[in-house]
Every structure is written in C-alpha cells, then in structure tokens.
Amino acid sequence: QLQLVESGGGSVQAGGSLSLSCVASGYTGKIKMTWFRQAPGKGREAVASINLGGSLSYVAPSVKGRFTVSQDNAKKTMYLQMNSLKPEDSAMYYCAAARSWNVGWSSENSYTNWGQGTQVTVSS
C-alpha cells in the first residue's frame, strides 16, 4: 500500500526559508507527487508537483519564484524548498500521490493517497 510521510514543517519569520520532504513507499510503477496546502477555512491549493523519475514539474503562480520542487528518485522523495516565506504561506502542507503521470496535477481528484500533513507557520 502506498504510503506518504511528510516532514520539515515548522515556524519561521516572514522572509525565512523552510524545506519540506515527502517520502513514498509501498508501491510499484510510476507516481505523480504533489504538494497541496490548506489554510483554515479554505480548500486545498495545489502548490507544486513532480513526476517521480521523470522531468516534468509544476509550480503554482502564487509561489512561483519563491518555491522550488525537486526530487530524488532513488530515495522516492519529493522536496519543496520554500524561500521568502510570507504569512499567507501559513498552512498545513500535504503530500499527495497519483498512480499515474497522466493526470491533472492541480486537481485533488487526481490523487489517491495523502500524507498526514506538516504544519508551516510564518509569522510577521
């Protein structure tokens, strides 16, 4: 069974940086891995995505230029480097996986597995 474990969340001041990791296990074949975030009272927002073992990646306009998504296929891990953090980046960050590369990256409905989430809090 595919499992996802996120880590790296915490509290930082505005302008600071934070790195998140998501490790996938218990699966075979190809997966797409995507970071979502959810602030209180809001829906989940797709942040960034990779095809694990592939070359395509996506970053949402709201974080483009500040966040970078990367991967280590050997470690089955997706990373999110977050720089120049703003208070509006505060959210629970979730890792999601789809068991195909051929799905829409930003739709929650594309994903069958979700991690437990890691909290990111940015103070002003």
Side-chain angles (χ1 to χ4, degrees):
Q1 185 173 348
L2 199 162
Q3 290 184 288
L4 302 168
V5 179
E6 307 102 326
S7 62
S11 297
V12 297
Q13 291 185 320
S17 297
L18 208 57
S19 296
L20 307 182
S21 300
C22 176
V23 180
S25 63
Y27 74 96
T28 59
K30 299 177 179 179
I31 60 170
K32 184 188 294 291
M33 299 177 69
T34 298
W35 291 104
F36 285 81
R37 65 185 183 184
Q38 187 168 26
K42 296 185 177 182
R44 290 184 189 141
E45 176 191 16
V47 177
S49 183
I50 55 95
N51 291 332
L52 193 65
S55 60
L56 291 178
S57 64
Y58 301 91
V59 180
S62 60
V63 302
K64 193 172 182 65
R66 299 186 297 117
F67 291 11
T68 302
V69 65
S70 60
Q71 64 175 294
D72 185 333
N73 186 46
K75 296 181 179 179
K76 307 299 182 187
T77 301
M78 173 180 66
Y79 305 95
L80 187 67
Q81 178 64 46
M82 304 184 292
N83 298 324
S84 302
L85 282 162
K86 304 174 181 179
E88 52 261 46
D89 295 317
S90 296
M92 185 72 75
Y93 282 70
Y94 296 94
C95 179
R99 303 189 69 116
S100 173
W101 288 357
N102 191 28
V103 298
W105 79 274
S106 62
S107 174
E108 294 179 59
N109 293 333
S110 295
Y111 300 92
T112 56
N113 297 87
W114 295 79
Q116 81 284 357
T118 185
Q119 180 68 233
V120 172
T121 302
V122 184
S123 62
S124 60

